[in-house]
Amino acid sequence: MSGRLGRRPKGLGLRSVAGQVFALQAIIVVLLVTAGTLALLFQARYDTERDARNRSLAAAEAFAHAPGLVDSLKAPDPTALLQTRAETARMASGLDFLAVMTPDGIRYTDSRPELIGQRATGDIARARAGESFTEIFTGEPTDAVRAIVPVRTEDGDIVGLVGAGVEIQNVGNVVEDQLPLLFGTAAGALLLAVGGAALVSRRLRRQTHGLGPLEMTRINEHHEAVLHAVREGVMIIDADRRLLLANDEARRLLDLAPDAERRHVTELGLDPRTAALLSSGRVVTDEVHLAGDRLLAVNVRPTEPYRGRPTGTVMTLRDSTELSTVSGRAEVARGRLQLLYEAGVRIGTTLDVVRTAEELTEVAVPRFADFVTVELLEPVLRGEEPSGAFTEMRRTALNGTRTEHPFQPVGDVIRFVVPTTPMARALDAGHAVLVADLTTAEGWQAQDPEGATDALAYGLHSLVAVPLLARGVVLGMANFWRAETDDAFGEEDLTFAEELTARAAVSIDNARRFTREHAMAVTLQRSLLPRVLPELSAVDVAYRYLPAKAGVGGDWFDVIPLPGARVALVVGDVVGHGLHAAASMGRLRTAVHNFSTLDLPPDELLGHLDELIDRIDQPDTGGGQGGGEAGAGDAEDEGNGGNERMTGATCLYVVYDPASGRCTMARAGHPGPALVHRDGRVEFPEVPAGLPLGVGGMPFEATELQLPEGSRLVLFTDGLLEDRDRDFDTGLGLLCDALATTGRSPEQACADVLTALLVPAPDDDIVLLMADTQRLEADRIAEWEVPADPAEVSRVRNAGAAQLGAWGLDSLSFTAELILSELITNAIRYGAEPIRVRLLRDRRLICEISDGSSTAPHLRYAATTDEGGRGLFLVAQFAERWGTRYTKRGKVIWAELPLTTRDSELPGLPVPDLDALEDLAW
C-alpha cells in the first residue's frame, strides 16, 4: 500500500478521481458557454429590435406633434413645406425613413423621393382610428421596423399620419457587428473555465495522491480495521454535532444503536450530561460521565481546523467504574454549579418583580427543593424603596413538585410575628437559617399551629429560610422546603441557598427600580400629552396612546386649533426611553405649540424645531462661581441623568384647512400619514422625507394635497407597525387592511386597528391619531375682491353687514363692520394688491383681510398728538383674538368674534363713527 501512496501520476488520467472530475467539469463548461452564447445572440437581436421600435415611435411622435405640422398639411403643397424638415428629422434620429402621409396613406414626404405620392402599404387602419403603434412590416418597398402616429388638430381631428422606421437589414447588421465580440467573449470564457477546472482537478489530484476510487476504498477498509481493533471508545462528531463514526468499543460502552451514524448527539440515547458535552464542543480531559452502571473517563478534542474553521470533535472513552465515589461527589458539586449557572441565565429575564420571583422558584424546584415560596414587601411590589419594617410581606410566588400543597396561596399577606420562627430569625440575622427537622421548630408551630400541623401531615420535614437582600436592604424572604426528598437540608446547603437567593435579589431590585422609573415615566408622559382634545369643526378626532411594556418612550401627539378654522395635527417620537425621553417629549410638544402660534408653514416650523433641538442639546459648560460646589452639583446631575442629551426626534406636522379642503404636511424622519377615502380605499401620500430633528441642518420640504370630502387622515408612530417579529412593510400592509373598512367612527376605527396590529408586549410606545376631515359649507363662506380705492371700504363693509344679517348675526354687525373698516383701510393704504376679504362662520366669526404685502402690523399706543395709530388697538379690543399669518405672496390679518356678543361684554371704549375709521392708521 505504501508503494501506491509513493507514486505520483504525471497527468490527469481518467482512471483517477481527479481525471474524472476534470472531464465532467469540461463537459459542463462547454455546454454552459454554448447555451450562454446562444442566449446572448437572441437577446442582442431582441434588444436591437426593441431599440428600433422605441426610436421609430419616439421620432414619429415628436414629428407628429411638431409645431406647424398641422398648418403645413393644410397648405396647397405640403410636400414642398415638409420634405426638407422630414429628412432633417430622419437623419437627426438615425432612422432609415420618415414619411408624412394623408390619413389614407398617400405619401407627402419620403426618404425616397420616387415614393412621394404613392400609397403606403400595410395596415394603417389603426393609425386612422387614432392609435399610435409599432410593427414589424414586411413588403414593399422594404422590410422594416416601423411606427405610425396620427397627426391631430386641436379639435382631435386626424389630418395626417407620420411613419418612421429602421430597415430589417440594418437591424440585422447591428447584431452581426456584435458577433465577433460575442464569440470572442465565449472563447475567452471557455478557456478560463477549462483552465479553472484544470487547476481544481490538479489540486484534487494532490489531495487524493492520484488515487482512483477503488484504491481509496481499499485504504478506507484498512483504516476501519485498525480503528475497531483499539480497546478504547472513539467517536467522531462533525460540526453539526452529528455522529460520523463510532468504533466497536464506543458502541459497547454507550450501548449505541446499529444505525447511530448521522444522528444528532441528542438522539443517540446518551446521558443528558454526555449529550450536552458533545453538543457544546468544549474541550475536556478525563471528565467522568455516567453510562448505565459504568463510569467513563471522557476526553474531547477538536479535529484539525480547515481554513480556520473547526470541522468537528473527537471523543475517547475509558471505563473508570472504580472511581464511583469520587465521581459521585464531583457530580453533586457539578450539579450545584450547573444550577447556579442556570440561575444566572434564567432569573431576571424580564424587568418584572413578580415574574423574577417566579423564576427563582422555577430554578430551585425540583433539583434543590421540593417547594419554594417567595414573599416580598409591599413597597417592593409597587417599585418603591423598602420601608425597613418587614413583619408583613405578600406572598408573590409559589412552586412545587405537586399542585396540591398546605401553603397559603399567592397574594396572601404573610406575617412574622413570633421572633423565634426561622423566617424572623433569618430576617433579623441577615443570613440563611436551617431547620433540618421541622418537628423541632417550636416558633414556627407557635405562629400558626393549624397550618404547621397540616404542613407536617403533608410531609414537609426540612426548611431553609433566606432573606432577599440587595444593597444591604431586605426586599423579602425565600423559603426552601423538602417533602418528597428523604434527605434533609444540611449545612452545605446554606451557602448554596444564600448564593442562589442573592442572585435573585439583585434581579428583583433591578426590576423594582425599573418598575418605579416606568411608573414615573408613564405618569410624566401622560401628564404631558393632551388630556382633552379641542372641539373643532374641521376634524372629528380620536386617538390612542399606549406606553411600551419594557420602557416608556417619547411618542406624542397633539391637535392644535389654528386661525381661519384650520387645525394642525402633530405626531412625533423622541429617541430613547424612560424619564429623559418623556421630559424631552414635553419640551418638544411645548415648542411645537409655541411655533404654531406664529402660524408657520409646516416645513418652516420643522426647521425651527430642528434649530431649537440643536441649541438645547449643547452641553452645559458651567461658568458658575465656586468650582468645588459646582463640580459636586454636576456629578449629582450626571447621576440623575440630568446631562442626557436629546439624541434625535421625528415629527409629522399636518395643517388642514376646512374652507378649501387643502392639507399641507411635512415630516422629519417620521412615517407619512395614511389617507382613507370614503369608499375605503387607502393610500399613503408621498411626503418628502426629511432628516430627523437634531440630526443636521438640512431644509425640510412640504407637500400640499387636496383632500376629497369625507376622507380620513391617520397619523401614527412606528411602534404601531414595527416589532421584533414584524418589519415596517408588513405592519404597513396590516394597517392598510385594518383601515379599509368603511362606516366606522374614528373611535371604533382606532379600536379595530389596535386589535389587528397590537402585540401582547409592545417594544415601543404607540400613538394612533385619526381625524375625519370635514368641509366648511359654501354658504358659510363669504369673499370679496377689494380694489385699492378707499371708496370701496364702505361698500365691502355694507356687504359684510348684509351677509351677517343673512347668517342671523345682526348682533355682531357693528363690531364686525368696525374691524372690517379698519383692516381694509390699512390694507389699501399700506398693503399691496390683490386685496381680498373673507368672512367664515364657524364656531366663531372669522374676519380675514389678505393683501400682497409682507409688512406686518404692530399694536401700539397712539400719542395724544397722533392723527392715527388707534385702528389696530380698536381691533384688539373688540376682537376676541387677532393675528397675522404670512402666505407665499403676502399676508393675512385675521380677527375672531364670538357668535353671541352682549353689549355688556364689549370693551368700555368710545365707539367711533364707522365712516371715520378710514382716517385711523396702524
Side-chain angles (χ1 to χ4, degrees), residues 646-668:
M646 190 186 302
T647 57
T650 66
C651 184
L652 171 64
Y653 191 85
V654 178
V655 176
Y656 173 66
D657 185 357
S660 62
R662 285 193 295 270
C663 179
T664 307
M665 60 187 73
R667 63 188 177 114

Side-chain angles (χ1 to χ4, degrees), residues 227-234 246-253:
L227 181 66
H228 293 296
V230 176
R231 299 308 298 168
E232 188 175 59
V234 178
N247 67 354
D248 294 339
E249 183 67 7
R251 291 179 180 274
R252 183 184 69 82
L253 293 175

Side-chain angles (χ1 to χ4, degrees), residues 417-431:
V417 294
V418 178
T420 57
T421 61
M423 296 77 171
R425 289 163 47 204
L427 291 170
D428 184 60
H431 58 75

Side-chain angles (χ1 to χ4, degrees), residues 629-708:
E629 295 180 1
D634 290 345
E636 182 178 355
D637 288 343
E638 184 175 357
N640 295 332
N643 288 337
E644 291 189 58
R645 301 181 62 190
M646 190 186 302
T647 57
T650 66
C651 184
L652 171 64
Y653 191 85
V654 178
V655 176
Y656 173 66
D657 185 357
S660 62
R662 285 193 295 270
C663 179
T664 307
M665 60 187 73
R667 63 188 177 114
H670 198 87
L675 177 61
V676 184
H677 294 264
R678 183 177 293 177
D679 58 0
R681 182 166 49 90
V682 181
E683 64 175 305
F684 297 91
E686 288 290 338
V687 183
L691 293 175
L693 300 174
V695 171
M698 295 297 292
F700 298 95
E701 185 178 353
T703 187
E704 185 173 294
L705 303 175
Q706 183 68 35
L707 298 187

Side-chain angles (χ1 to χ4, degrees), residues 104-136:
D104 295 329
I106 303 300
R107 295 182 176 87
Y108 285 137
T109 70
D110 197 276
S111 56
R112 299 182 182 180
E114 65 271 13
L115 297 179
I116 296 176
Q118 297 184 16
R119 184 183 301 276
T121 57
D123 183 14
I124 61 174
R126 286 190 290 170
R128 285 201 303 269
E131 176 186 355
S132 300
F133 67 95
T134 62
E135 64 177 358
I136 303 296

